[in-house]
Amino acid sequence: MKNIPLYIGLRYTRAKRRNQFISFISAFSLIGMALGVTALILVLSVMNGLDREMKQRLLSVIPHGYIDRDPALNDWQQIAQQVQQHPKVVGTAPYIASEALVGYGSDIQGIQIEGVLPEEELKISVIDKHMLLGSLENLKPGEFGVVMGSMMARQLGLAPGDKVMITSPDINITPAGVFPRNKNFTLVGVFEVGGQVDFNLALIHLNDAQKFFRVSGAQGLHVKTTDLYEAASVMKELREKFGSDYSVKDWSQTQGSLFQSVKMEKIVTGTLLNILIFIAVFNIVSSLVLMVADKRSDIAVLRTLGLTAKQVMGIFIVQGSAVGFVGTLVGVVAGCILTWLLNPIMAVLESLFGFHFFDPETFYITGLPSYLMWQDVLTITLTALVLSFLATLYPAYRASKIEPAEALRYE
């Protein structure tokens, strides 16, 4: 037989053990490896899904880039024409943004209020596709209408047509004293994107924002690029074009900390879950060390029949690697299947036990978004296989150093 180590190593893997404890540790190693790989694939897929969901939902509403100038961008039409000449810019829209307070009855909430031109904003934002009530086109100049997120409207108990009091951070100084700048706005639309903007974003017409905040022109331009992942390079080119008089930013500078935190959580979670694989690897080492001690006489007989030390070493490398390979294969298959069936499984559990894992009143999502990336699966698989192989080297080396005469002395 040409490959004796492979044949004997695989036979040892299938053979019944005289010592049941060795069988238990070998089985525990296989199960531990499978569970570690399954958990890593499942959790990283969920983290990838959350990251993608956040980007799709949040960046469908939030512009890819911003071009501002202090105190105002009075010639925004001319600047917009220059920006749109860039081949990777889809469109631009003027805006005025400020923090404010919105009140209805005895309830008061902090909001981010933006003045926009509906006809221009529709070119760069998909917020009109997420309207539950009304439309952006309901924002008419001079009518002081407001469109806000669903969670904000729900917390305040608003319905279309209700009037809310919006208070600017600026103040009015009059001979009678200092007063906050207030204005009544009528709710003309409600949107629901499924993100933080549902809680804190309100839109009014640009002309109304100019009057309310006492700003001429616009504060700046919202910019949409062909690819949000290329927004940083596009805005860098525009920054070099317009010079230091303008403040040019991309979404990664305004929202980057949110996505960096998700990325960091993925790294930390992956590192912690790798402990399961390391435990399985240590179990492979333990089971092989015990196996070598249990098979000392067999090793001695094989050596007397002509097997070399390298071939004996190969037997136990094959045996330990086989356990790691099977455990990894089971883990990869189970991880991929669970990732694909995650939401159906959650739906079945919710129907059986009558509760929601993610209450839509509290969370932005109603299920766990999962996105299986083959790069993650490949990395996890290779890591598990390499660690399994490395775990076999020390026990196999010890087996190769057994002297036949010494092992058979008391047999």
Side-chain angles (χ1 to χ4, degrees):
M1 186 175 292
K2 293 182 179 179
N3 204 331
I4 294 177
L6 179 63
Y7 174 76
I8 299 177
L10 293 178
R11 183 165 182 172
Y12 274 176
T13 304
R14 301 191 304 269
K16 292 183 178 180
R17 310 278 190 265
R18 292 194 298 268
N19 189 333
Q20 294 299 318
F21 184 63
I22 299 176
S23 299
F24 172 76
I25 294 181
S26 297
F28 193 78
S29 304
L30 191 150
I31 295 172
M33 183 67 71
L35 288 176
V37 171
T38 300
L40 265 176
I41 291 176
L42 183 61
V43 172
L44 293 185
S45 296
V46 170
M47 298 295 289
N48 292 332
L50 288 171
D51 182 67
R52 189 175 69 163
E53 189 78 8
M54 288 172 64
K55 287 180 179 178
Q56 288 180 343
R57 291 192 180 194
L58 188 60
L59 296 179
S60 64
V61 179
I62 293 178
H64 297 171
Y66 303 82
I67 300 178
D68 300 340
R69 188 171 63 185
D70 191 32
L73 195 66
N74 294 319
D75 55 343
W76 66 264
Q77 295 92 339
Q78 181 181 351
I79 300 299
Q81 290 178 357
Q82 297 180 37
V83 172
Q84 290 174 9
Q85 291 175 1
H86 194 288
K88 293 185 178 180
V89 172
V90 175
T92 61
Y95 77 96
I96 296 173
S98 176
E99 294 181 348
L101 294 175
V102 58
Y104 181 73
S106 60
D107 294 326
I108 299 177
Q109 300 284 342
I111 59 169
Q112 175 73 19
I113 190 165
E114 291 188 1
V116 298
L117 282 179
E119 61 274 14
E120 300 294 330
E121 192 70 16
L122 290 174
K123 298 177 183 178
I124 68 164
S125 174
V126 297
I127 199 168
D128 204 53
K129 298 178 182 178
H130 295 273
M131 298 296 297
L132 297 180
L133 299 168
S135 168
L136 276 184
E137 296 177 348
N138 291 344
L139 295 176
K140 305 294 183 181
E143 295 184 2
F144 291 94
V146 61
V147 172
M148 62 175 56
S150 59
M151 298 305 294
M152 172 72 67
R154 192 174 302 165
Q155 287 179 357
L156 294 174
L158 297 175
D162 288 342
K163 291 189 178 295
V164 296
M165 177 73 74
I166 295 181
T167 303
S168 167
D170 298 327
I171 57 176
N172 290 325
I173 301 177
T174 68
V178 178
F179 300 95
R181 189 181 302 166
N182 299 325
K183 183 65 180 178
N184 283 326
F185 285 78
T186 304
L187 183 67
V188 296
V190 177
F191 63 83
E192 184 174 84
V193 177
Q196 186 65 29
V197 291
D198 291 345
F199 284 86
N200 61 11
L201 181 62
L203 304 176
I204 62 177
H205 196 280
L206 185 69
N207 290 2
D208 297 339
Q210 290 172 344
K211 297 175 183 177
F212 184 56
F213 295 112
R214 297 180 180 178
V215 176
S216 60
Q219 177 183 328
L221 290 175
H222 287 158
V223 180
K224 183 178 181 180
T225 60
T226 53
D227 187 345
L228 68 91
Y229 298 105
E230 295 182 358
S233 60
V234 173
M235 300 312 293
K236 181 180 179 181
E237 293 175 13
L238 293 175
R239 187 182 303 113
E240 295 172 352
K241 177 179 180 180
F242 290 111
S244 58
D245 291 340
Y246 295 83
S247 173
V248 182
K249 298 180 181 179
D250 63 272
W251 67 268
S252 65
Q253 294 172 286
T254 59
Q255 305 294 328
S257 58
L258 178 62
F259 297 106
Q260 285 296 325
S261 65
V262 174
K263 184 177 180 180
M264 183 58 66
E265 287 175 3
K266 179 181 176 181
I267 294 173
V268 172
T269 304
T271 303
L272 292 176
L273 289 176
N274 269 313
I275 294 175
L276 294 176
I277 293 180
F278 279 106
I279 292 173
V281 167
F282 283 123
N283 285 329
I284 292 175
V285 176
S286 302
S287 64
L288 284 181
V289 168
L290 293 173
M291 175 64 73
V292 169
D294 188 57
K295 298 292 185 181
R296 283 177 63 87
S297 58
D298 292 2
I299 295 169
V301 171
L302 291 172
R303 289 296 304 276
T304 58
L305 291 175
L307 256 68
T308 65
K310 288 185 177 179
Q311 287 176 313
V312 172
M313 190 173 178
I315 290 172
F316 292 95
I317 289 177
V318 168
Q319 183 186 351
S321 298
V323 172
F325 176 80
V326 174
T328 302
L329 180 62
V330 172
V332 168
V333 173
C336 293
I337 292 175
L338 285 176
T339 299
W340 289 325
L341 299 179
L342 183 60
N343 281 311
I345 291 173
M346 290 179 61
V348 171
L349 293 175
E350 288 178 346
S351 63
L352 286 176
F353 298 102
F355 72 95
H356 293 283
F357 287 100
F358 297 96
D359 188 351
E361 296 289 334
T362 306
F363 299 96
Y364 306 146
I365 54 177
T366 56
L368 272 180
S370 59
Y371 178 52
L372 189 64
M373 295 180 63
W374 67 265
Q375 297 95 325
D376 287 341
V377 176
L378 182 61
T379 301
I380 294 168
T381 302
L382 291 178
T383 300
L385 292 177
V386 170
L387 289 176
S388 300
F389 172 77
L390 294 177
T392 65
L393 296 182
Y394 173 69
Y397 175 76
R398 286 191 57 179
S400 70
K401 292 302 179 181
I402 293 176
E403 294 295 336
E406 185 70 24
L408 294 174
R409 177 179 296 179
Y410 301 105
E411 292 294 330

